[in-house]
Amino acid sequence: MEIRTDALVVGGGLGGVAAALALLKAGSSVVLTEEFDWLGGQLTSQAVPPDEHTWVERFGVTASYRSLREGIRDYYRAHYPLTGRSRGWQELNPGAGWVSRLCHEPRVAVAVIESMLARYRGSGQLRVLQPYRPVGADTDGDRVSAIVLAHRDTGMKVTAHARYVLDATETGELLPLTGTEYVTGFESQADTGEPSAPDEAQPQNMQAISVCFAIDHVDGDHTIDKPRTYDYWRTYQPEFWGDRLLSWSAPTPRTLEVVERSFTPNPDDDPIEVLADQQRIGGDMNLWTFRRIAARRNFEHGAYASDITLVNWPMIDYLDGSIIDVPDAGKHLEGARELSRSVLYWMQTEAPRPDGGTGFPGLRLRGDVTGTLDGLAQAPYIRESRRIRSLYTIPEQDLSLEVRGDKGAANYADSVGIGMYRIDLHPSTGGDNYIDVGCSPFEIPLGALIPQRVSNLLPAAKNIGTTHISNGAYRLHPVEWNIGEAAGHLAAFCMDKVTTPHAVRADDDLLAEYQRRLVRSGIEIHWPQVVGY
């Protein structure tokens, strides 16, 4: 089967959805593909509540991302039995989690994303191929002419021809398929000049992946069958960790001090109107409330038998190998799933309780919340992708507070958006502990979205021209959305002007016109005067 379209967006995560919306609003025909059952990526199929900056409720995100956030709140007000107090809470946080000011059930985000795309699907301007994944590509010199897609379950293939191809996959899957030059893992300090980089490049040294899952705590014994590899994970202890991985103890990312976190299901004394602010406090000392996605006190009495919390905690970070450009990726993906099952089994059977006992058999796996039969998230949470070799690569020293002091992050003449997060690297497959670097609010340079050679393929997710280090700040939800939206507008602009991304960046007039289009669409390309971390 063959199909033709103006733009092909491969990957239906946050970047892919934002890219598709930008193209659709510009009048382009779009084919959007996604491997998993839900659109939304880390927000939905990966079950990761949004990581966002302090000022998210006032500025610092695109208008369409703000529409997504407010759409989620409106969905709760329209369809959930909120208490009167919660219904009137302007900055409603349904889960009252401490990781974000908007912690919610993944399925709600799916519904809102689908509503944002519905009119374009109905008109035929948008075609969604799901579940499909890329398996091949046709190229003509420096252009990509087609991508071959295969149905995840049946293997049926579709060849999609497009004027522009946007790679919004979680691992930059189109880069090797199309021969687009890319890098993985740690660059060397000699290559980037970064203070936190190693002396030699380490292409297979990447951040851990995690397989998240949702749980509640109710009466009865809900202990799962003992996982096949439980005995391995029960004694597993990385050299730098300070304790077994399956414990309440773990390093603090910012200081590496080993601390013991608490775990108290359904606490009665925590505030519901949480104003999460990771600038002041990480909020992860009680793991139950850290990524809670449903706080029962926000809903009418009896609506929820228990809070629901999302397990994306230090002990589920899989360190035994990379899943990118290795022959045994499947083994490591299953290993990450086995680790998550083992963490749950440990909590149900052996974890220390505040009362001196062991085990929480009332912990219940909520696969209905994540949309799976096995109870785990549909997709692994992948923090680090292949990254294009770009016209400009963003180094650590462009945003590090330690390097730049009171000068703030670098200002780019070709900025296409903004973001804010610390450089937050989880432990890695090469044996590194957390790397945590304070940052100023930063910008997204257009040069990081343009491959050095290929003329009609654009990155639209975590595969832009960051380094292993700077990726730690650019990988979060609102930044990925902004990257995808800017890439979508760039493709549409180039089609309108019959030009190329390289020409847009090289021509001051074209660049200014493109940036004006971004600003008119609600993308902030420079920060207001704010105080950084």
Side-chain angles (χ1 to χ4, degrees), residues 418-435:
I418 59 177
M420 176 59 199
Y421 211 72
R422 296 176 70 88
I423 290 177
D424 171 26
L425 297 177
H426 281 233
S428 71
T429 57
D432 292 284
N433 207 331
Y434 291 100
I435 297 176

Side-chain angles (χ1 to χ4, degrees), residues 369-453:
V369 170
T370 55
T372 62
L373 292 176
D374 69 2
L376 304 180
Q378 296 173 23
Y381 178 29
I382 300 172
R383 297 177 173 88
E384 184 171 346
S385 173
R386 299 176 180 90
R387 305 181 298 279
I388 62 165
R389 289 196 180 275
S390 53
L391 296 184
Y392 183 77
T393 300
I394 305 163
E396 172 186 359
Q397 52 268 33
D398 273 12
L399 51 158
S400 165
L401 282 173
E402 184 174 350
V403 173
R404 298 190 62 83
D406 60 4
K407 293 185 294 184
N411 296 119
Y412 304 114
D414 64 345
S415 175
V416 297
I418 59 177
M420 176 59 199
Y421 211 72
R422 296 176 70 88
I423 290 177
D424 171 26
L425 297 177
H426 281 233
S428 71
T429 57
D432 292 284
N433 207 331
Y434 291 100
I435 297 176
D436 187 274
V437 178
C439 297
S440 295
F442 53 81
E443 297 175 354
I444 305 166
L446 176 60
L449 273 65
I450 304 177
Q452 292 178 354
R453 180 182 58 83

Side-chain angles (χ1 to χ4, degrees), residues 194-212:
E194 296 175 303
S196 301
D199 291 337
E200 296 184 3
Q202 301 170 10
Q204 277 299 313
N205 189 1
M206 304 181 198
Q207 287 191 73
I209 67 170
S210 300
V211 177
C212 304

Side-chain angles (χ1 to χ4, degrees), residues 145-418:
S145 53
I147 299 294
V148 182
L149 305 151
H151 193 280
R152 182 194 65 196
D153 303 327
T154 67
M156 186 183 79
K157 291 185 178 178
V158 176
T159 300
H161 301 264
R163 296 167 64 187
Y164 272 83
V165 176
L166 285 76
D167 184 348
T169 62
E170 297 297 325
T171 58
E173 292 173 54
L174 297 191
L175 304 184
L177 291 177
T178 60
T180 302
E181 293 78 9
Y182 67 91
V183 296
T184 61
F186 267 109
E187 295 90 345
S188 72
Q189 193 170 92
D191 288 336
T192 66
E194 296 175 303
S196 301
D199 291 337
E200 296 184 3
Q202 301 170 10
Q204 277 299 313
N205 189 1
M206 304 181 198
Q207 287 191 73
I209 67 170
S210 300
V211 177
C212 304
F213 55 94
I215 53 175
D216 60 10
H217 188 265
V218 294
D219 292 338
D221 187 342
H222 302 278
T223 304
I224 63 171
D225 293 338
K226 181 179 178 181
R228 176 178 53 84
T229 57
Y230 179 70
D231 291 337
Y232 171 77
W233 292 114
R234 183 178 181 275
T235 59
Y236 185 92
Q237 182 170 337
E239 290 184 11
F240 57 81
W241 200 249
D243 202 339
R244 293 182 303 169
L245 192 63
L246 270 60
S247 71
W248 299 130
S249 298
T252 302
R254 298 186 188 182
T255 66
L256 302 186
E257 176 190 4
V258 177
V259 298
E260 183 170 326
R261 291 165 171 82
S262 64
F263 180 72
T264 309
N266 296 319
D268 292 325
D269 58 351
D270 67 304
I272 288 302
E273 291 192 3
V274 169
L275 293 178
D277 184 353
Q278 292 198 48
Q279 182 175 348
R280 295 186 299 104
I281 181 170
D284 63 345
M285 292 310 295
N286 185 340
L287 293 173
W288 182 268
T289 56
F290 181 42
R291 295 185 185 271
R292 182 172 52 188
I293 57 175
R296 57 182 178 171
R297 282 185 287 166
N298 272 334
F299 304 90
E300 293 177 359
H301 180 71
Y304 284 76
S306 165
D307 295 349
I308 303 172
T309 196
L310 203 289
V311 178
N312 179 15
W313 305 336
M315 65 275 279
I316 69 167
D317 283 3
Y318 179 82
L319 303 172
D320 272 5
S322 160
I323 63 166
I324 295 177
D325 293 345
V326 294
D328 55 354
K331 181 187 83 170
H332 293 305
L333 284 168
E334 181 54 31
R337 299 177 71 82
E338 276 289 287
L339 169 58
S340 291
R341 294 185 189 102
S342 296
V343 168
L344 174 61
Y345 185 78
W346 173 79
M347 289 194 294
Q348 291 173 322
T349 61
E350 296 191 68
R353 297 196 309 260
D355 63 6
T358 56
F360 296 82
L363 292 177
R364 180 174 59 171
L365 194 58
R366 291 295 303 272
D368 55 326
V369 170
T370 55
T372 62
L373 292 176
D374 69 2
L376 304 180
Q378 296 173 23
Y381 178 29
I382 300 172
R383 297 177 173 88
E384 184 171 346
S385 173
R386 299 176 180 90
R387 305 181 298 279
I388 62 165
R389 289 196 180 275
S390 53
L391 296 184
Y392 183 77
T393 300
I394 305 163
E396 172 186 359
Q397 52 268 33
D398 273 12
L399 51 158
S400 165
L401 282 173
E402 184 174 350
V403 173
R404 298 190 62 83
D406 60 4
K407 293 185 294 184
N411 296 119
Y412 304 114
D414 64 345
S415 175
V416 297
I418 59 177

